[in-house]
Amino acid sequence: SEENTIVLCGDAPLITRKTLRSFIKFFLRKNTSCSFITANMKRNNKMGVVLRDDRGNPEAICEQIDSRRAPAKHRHKLKNGCEVNSGVYCFKTRVLPEHLSKIKKNNRKREYFLTDIIRILHKEGDFARSYYLENADEITGINTPQDLFFCERVMRMRILAEFYRKGVRIIDPETTFIQKGVKIGNNTVIYPFTFIEKGVIIGNNCLLGPFLHIRGGTRVGDGTHLGNFSEINRTKIGSGVRIKHFGYLGDTHIYDNVNIGAGAVTANFDGKRKHQTSIGKGAFIGSDSILVAPVRIGPGAVTGAGSVVNRDVKKQSTVVGVPARQIKRKGDCHG
């Protein structure tokens, strides 16, 4: 509400909704002018250290660059592993106009530190209250490439943990990369070195990977297997499909129960535009087939190994060669 103001850090992406809700409830329950989140940070950091008076009230927040200016009794606290300020605050809005004007520019950084407001409030007997957070990872700020690496890994593991809770089996979390915004059905198994981009939807009981890249805009039906060294892009795949070995499929609609042989490729780009490929239900695409889009493979059709298919293939027919030509199979009628 307008009566209260919350301050968050734009460079601290790991703070959770659960923590913020709990913190806001704490602030409202304490009914003080200011509350802020603290934690015991063991990782190397440059976060402000919380200094407390003899009664345990937050007395000030000392930025580590100003550690020499801290009172002697507090200097032993200015080291890694101590209680630090998260930079997340709740204020009674009414106290901000008056107290913000009392903050002086820091001579070393040539900027104004909001942390000084804790000292200002303490001098006036308006003690701030601290909300201690057990999981210090949530307040990690991104200031170095190492911080970015750490935060990205935490976020990635959170995403994978959510899939675990929903019944997805991930063989090796350390080598599995799934972006936010992916949907995966129950009992699907993901093998190592699989990368799934946001916007992908995968059904139940699928097998994915290893060494698989599924790009945005892809939909995968139930019971489908996508295997080794494959890239799938903007492709709709039906149920019971088998694409188990290396290849590329882009801008393709694959109907149910299709088998895609090893090394199959859809040549979807002509240098100017992307084109569509359609593979009908029950079709069999032979190893090393190249489907030159736009092209349609009819239901039950077969392409021979190494075929270059640059025109539509009729249902239940077989094509072979470069370029692919229809052949008659045993049992075909003459005339």
Side-chain angles (χ1 to χ4, degrees):
S1 69
E2 294 182 0
E3 296 180 357
N4 303 306
T5 298
I6 187 168
V7 178
L8 302 173
C9 296
D11 66 347
L14 299 182
I15 194 79
T16 64
R17 180 184 304 177
K18 179 180 178 181
T19 292
L20 289 177
R21 284 178 173 173
S22 181
F23 171 55
I24 291 170
K25 289 179 180 178
F26 170 87
F27 168 69
L28 296 175
R29 186 171 66 251
K30 293 297 183 181
N31 195 30
T32 58
S33 296
C34 171
S35 293
F36 63 107
I37 296 177
T38 71
N40 192 287
M41 180 67 74
K42 296 180 180 180
R43 297 177 61 246
N44 290 334
N45 69 89
K46 295 183 179 180
M47 305 175 77
V49 177
V50 179
L51 307 180
R52 295 182 180 274
D53 62 21
D54 294 337
R55 291 175 292 176
N57 296 312
E59 180 179 349
I61 296 171
C62 184
E63 301 295 335
Q64 294 189 32
I65 63 168
D66 285 339
S67 59
R68 294 179 182 178
R69 298 173 55 191
K73 66 177 182 178
H74 291 308
R75 286 179 187 168
H76 70 284
K77 301 177 183 178
L78 302 179
K79 59 183 179 180
N80 293 325
C82 53
E83 184 184 17
V84 298
N85 170 44
S86 67
V88 179
Y89 306 82
C90 276
F91 291 102
K92 295 289 186 185
T93 304
R94 57 177 171 76
V95 307
L96 291 174
E98 175 186 357
H99 293 87
L100 289 177
S101 64
K102 298 177 182 178
I103 297 176
K104 306 299 183 183
K105 183 182 289 187
N106 182 276
N107 291 329
R108 294 189 64 184
K109 293 287 286 184
R110 309 302 299 171
E111 61 187 55
Y112 296 90
F113 288 159
L114 180 60
T115 51
D116 287 351
I117 203 168
I118 304 300
R119 174 183 51 79
I120 293 168
L121 290 171
H122 185 272
K123 282 187 175 181
E124 297 182 1
D126 191 2
F127 304 132
R129 293 289 179 265
S130 60
Y131 177 87
Y132 186 78
L133 186 61
E134 291 289 343
N135 183 6
D137 289 350
E138 288 193 34
I139 66 171
T140 300
I142 299 177
N143 298 293
T144 67
Q146 291 78 12
D147 292 335
L148 179 60
F149 171 80
F150 177 82
C151 289
E152 286 181 337
R153 185 181 184 281
V154 170
M155 291 295 292
R156 184 164 63 86
M157 291 302 169
R158 286 181 182 176
I159 292 171
L160 298 184
E162 183 64 24
F163 283 116
Y164 271 119
R165 288 191 287 269
K166 293 180 178 179
V168 177
R169 184 184 175 198
I170 299 171
I171 301 298
D172 183 13
E174 292 293 341
T175 58
T176 301
F177 299 82
I178 303 177
Q179 294 182 339
K180 188 73 172 178
V182 171
K183 296 181 180 179
I184 303 176
N186 193 39
N187 293 324
T188 286
V189 179
I190 302 177
Y191 289 94
F193 299 101
T194 294
F195 190 104
I196 305 176
E197 295 181 2
K198 65 180 179 180
V200 171
I201 299 176
I202 296 168
N204 302 313
N205 302 302
C206 295
L207 296 179
L208 307 177
F211 297 97
L212 172 67
H213 185 187
I214 306 178
R215 295 170 60 185
T218 296
R219 305 289 184 269
V220 180
D222 296 341
T224 284
H225 296 186
L226 305 178
N228 304 267
F229 302 101
S230 297
E231 180 179 357
I232 315 294
N233 187 26
R234 297 186 303 274
T235 290
K236 182 178 180 181
I237 302 174
S239 298
V241 173
R242 299 293 182 265
I243 310 171
K244 303 195 71 171
H245 312 284
F246 51 93
Y248 171 77
L249 298 169
D251 300 297
T252 304
H253 187 175
I254 303 172
Y255 289 81
D256 296 347
N257 302 317
V258 167
N259 186 88
I260 307 289
V265 169
T266 55
N268 59 328
F269 185 50
D270 64 6
K272 294 181 180 180
R273 293 182 299 167
K274 301 290 179 68
H275 298 281
Q276 299 288 321
T277 297
S278 175
I279 303 176
K281 182 177 180 180
F284 187 100
I285 307 301
S287 297
D288 290 326
S289 291
I290 299 177
L291 309 181
V292 183
V295 68
R296 297 175 63 88
I297 310 298
V302 176
T303 69
S307 297
V308 176
V309 183
N310 59 3
R311 63 180 64 185
D312 291 353
V313 178
K314 297 178 180 179
K315 66 179 182 179
Q316 302 296 330
S317 64
T318 299
V319 297
V320 298
V322 182
R325 294 288 186 270
Q326 183 175 341
I327 64 170
K328 294 180 178 180
R329 297 182 297 179
K330 184 177 181 180
D332 289 346
C333 294
H334 295 274

